[in-house]
Amino acid sequence: MKYAMLPQLDTKVSKICLGTMTWGQQNSESDAHAQMDLALDLGVNFWDTAEMYPSPPDKDKQGTTERFMGSWLAKTGRRDEVVIASKISPMSFLRDGQTRFNKDHIKSAIDDNLKRLQTDYIDIYQLHWPERQSNFFGKRSYDEDMSAQDLSELTPFLETISALNEEIKQGRIRAYGLSNDTPWGVMRYLWEAEKHHLIAPITIQNPYSLLNRLYEVGLAEISHREKIGLLAYSPLGFGVLSGKYLDDKRPAGARLTLYDRYERYINEEAKRATKAYAKIAQEFDLDMAQMALAFVNSRPFVTSNIIGATNLSQLKSNIDSINLTLSAEVMAAIENVHQKIPNPAP
């Protein structure tokens, strides 16, 4: 395994992060425990979860993923060997759909996170997506509803930062990060924190893959210059970049077979790009999923690459991508496809 340093925490995290959002939907508690055992054995010490999980969201199953992780931590006693990231989520069935990133809601959410995880602290606590409307979750445009928002009706940035700083002082979280945010949002958090001499966010969790490299437009430079690392999620585009959906296949039990809400990963342009990437993998005798993950692993602004799996063989193969270095020829071929079909699945 390879590791990245989080200088703000003086902590090393694995360049591969264990994603957990299938636990409780596609994976049982015993499956989850087996994944945690294998991941840690292979050097993956960084695990990501959220109060909302499993995903797709389900009111009756909400929090199951954290409970599975918590039962493993209680059973093994290995809490000090792992770095755990979790999130507060503005979901309709949480806090009556009125979630605000204010002191009361952040405290309430962390109370519940810690209880489910059976731990005294969370290493990185993330704001799952902004309170404000913006162009995330597949939105390319900035529409009238977004531009008409009155931000004075939302929680002030300073209030959110102050609440998270207080949680750090109390030792209930060690650091905090953002997720699904925009360049403006990230810089606003950084500016407010600097202005008021408060601790700033240290990571941002956004989508990044061969099918969605929008992070490179604006946010990558922020990562570089402000030392706020990307935790890349959906690096396989919900499994599309494994090649298993090529030629309109729908494998039994696969995520896009079960849940059609993620169709943006298989629009016509995404299909065309995926075929082109599959051709590169075939030409250079590479496993397609490992090639896609190795590309993400190689990016200098990526702190960790969040991979998920529904079985152990898939998990091991994805983790093994850390040992693959793509040649200059492969990288040039990937860039050629990107220039022709840029970001087909935002």
Side-chain angles (χ1 to χ4, degrees):
M1 183 49 58
K2 297 176 183 176
Y3 298 87
M5 179 62 71
L6 291 175
Q8 303 92 331
L9 295 182
D10 193 27
T11 297
K12 288 194 307 182
V13 294
S14 50
K15 292 285 289 182
I16 299 290
C17 177
L18 178 63
T20 64
M21 69 181 183
T22 61
W23 301 356
Q25 289 279 24
Q26 292 170 267
N27 290 106
S28 66
E29 185 170 19
S30 61
D31 292 338
H33 285 201
Q35 287 194 23
M36 286 180 274
D37 288 337
L38 177 63
L40 196 51
D41 286 347
L42 294 177
V44 176
N45 73 336
F46 191 21
W47 302 351
D48 178 73
T49 188
E51 66 169 349
M52 185 191 81
Y53 292 167
S55 180
D58 185 323
K59 181 178 180 180
D60 295 330
K61 296 179 179 179
Q62 180 266 324
T64 300
T65 304
E66 286 187 323
R67 282 189 284 271
F68 286 179
M69 189 178 291
S71 63
W72 184 92
L73 292 171
K75 178 180 73 173
T76 64
R78 302 180 73 180
R79 174 65 183 93
D80 61 346
E81 297 180 47
V82 293
V83 177
I84 294 176
S86 193
K87 310 176 188 77
I88 177 174
S89 308
M91 199 68 221
S92 60
F93 50 72
L94 289 164
R95 293 166 288 277
D96 298 320
Q98 300 301 314
T99 295
R100 292 290 180 261
F101 295 146
N102 58 35
K103 181 176 181 178
D104 289 343
H105 283 187
I106 287 173
K107 180 184 183 304
S108 175
I110 293 176
D111 286 344
D112 293 337
N113 293 120
L114 294 174
K115 183 177 180 180
R116 287 187 294 264
L117 288 167
Q118 300 191 54
T119 184
D120 296 327
Y121 68 98
I122 295 166
D123 295 282
I124 303 176
Y125 199 65
Q126 301 158 99
L127 308 176
H128 208 152
W129 60 88
E131 282 185 28
R132 67 186 193 279
Q133 297 182 56
S134 193
N135 43 1
F136 50 84
F137 291 149
K139 297 178 182 177
R140 290 182 183 271
S141 60
Y142 192 80
D143 59 31
E144 292 180 4
D145 288 340
M146 297 175 195
S147 58
Q149 289 179 95
D150 182 358
L151 293 186
S152 67
E153 297 176 0
L154 304 179
T155 310
F157 286 87
L158 179 57
E159 181 177 344
T160 301
I161 295 167
S162 297
L164 291 164
N165 271 248
E166 182 60 31
E167 294 289 343
I168 291 172
K169 288 179 182 177
Q170 293 180 20
R172 301 203 318 155
I173 65 175
R174 297 181 63 211
Y176 70 99
L178 309 174
S179 184
N180 296 297
D181 218 324
T182 65
W184 181 83
V186 177
M187 288 306 300
R188 186 61 187 269
Y189 276 102
L190 294 172
W191 180 79
E192 291 280 5
E194 181 178 14
K195 178 182 178 182
H196 297 281
H197 308 288
L198 295 169
I199 298 169
I202 68 170
T203 56
I204 177 170
Q205 185 174 148
N206 274 30
Y208 185 74
S209 71
L210 291 176
L211 297 177
N212 180 359
R213 292 170 57 179
L214 288 170
Y215 193 87
E216 295 177 24
V217 183
L219 280 165
E221 185 174 12
I222 294 174
S223 280
H224 170 217
R225 303 198 185 281
E226 304 294 337
K227 310 305 180 192
I228 178 168
L230 171 62
L231 309 181
Y233 80 77
S234 292
L236 290 178
F238 274 70
V240 169
L241 289 165
S242 70
K244 62 185 175 185
Y245 300 108
L246 285 170
D247 301 318
D248 295 322
K249 293 185 180 71
R250 285 294 187 278
R255 197 158 182 81
L256 293 183
T257 305
L258 296 172
Y259 311 114
D260 60 8
R261 63 185 294 164
Y262 303 111
E263 289 289 312
R264 69 181 183 271
Y265 290 101
I266 47 174
N267 64 58
E268 291 305 313
E269 287 297 285
K271 289 179 183 178
R272 194 158 66 90
T274 301
K275 284 185 179 180
Y277 290 125
K279 184 177 179 181
I280 296 171
Q282 182 178 32
E283 179 182 350
F284 289 92
D285 194 26
L286 298 171
D287 177 275
M288 185 178 176
Q290 288 193 346
M291 180 188 80
L293 292 172
F295 173 80
V296 176
N297 297 340
S298 72
R299 302 297 83 194
F301 46 82
V302 172
T303 292
S304 196
N305 184 3
I306 304 173
I307 57 99
T310 53
N311 61 69
L312 294 182
S313 60
Q314 184 185 52
L315 179 62
K316 185 178 186 306
S317 179
N318 288 348
I319 292 172
D320 284 346
S321 69
I322 198 65
N323 299 313
L324 174 62
T325 300
L326 300 179
S327 68
E329 292 78 12
V330 172
M331 294 295 283
I334 286 173
E335 196 60 30
N336 185 50
V337 174
H338 176 63
Q339 293 301 316
K340 293 177 180 176
I341 318 173
N343 307 311

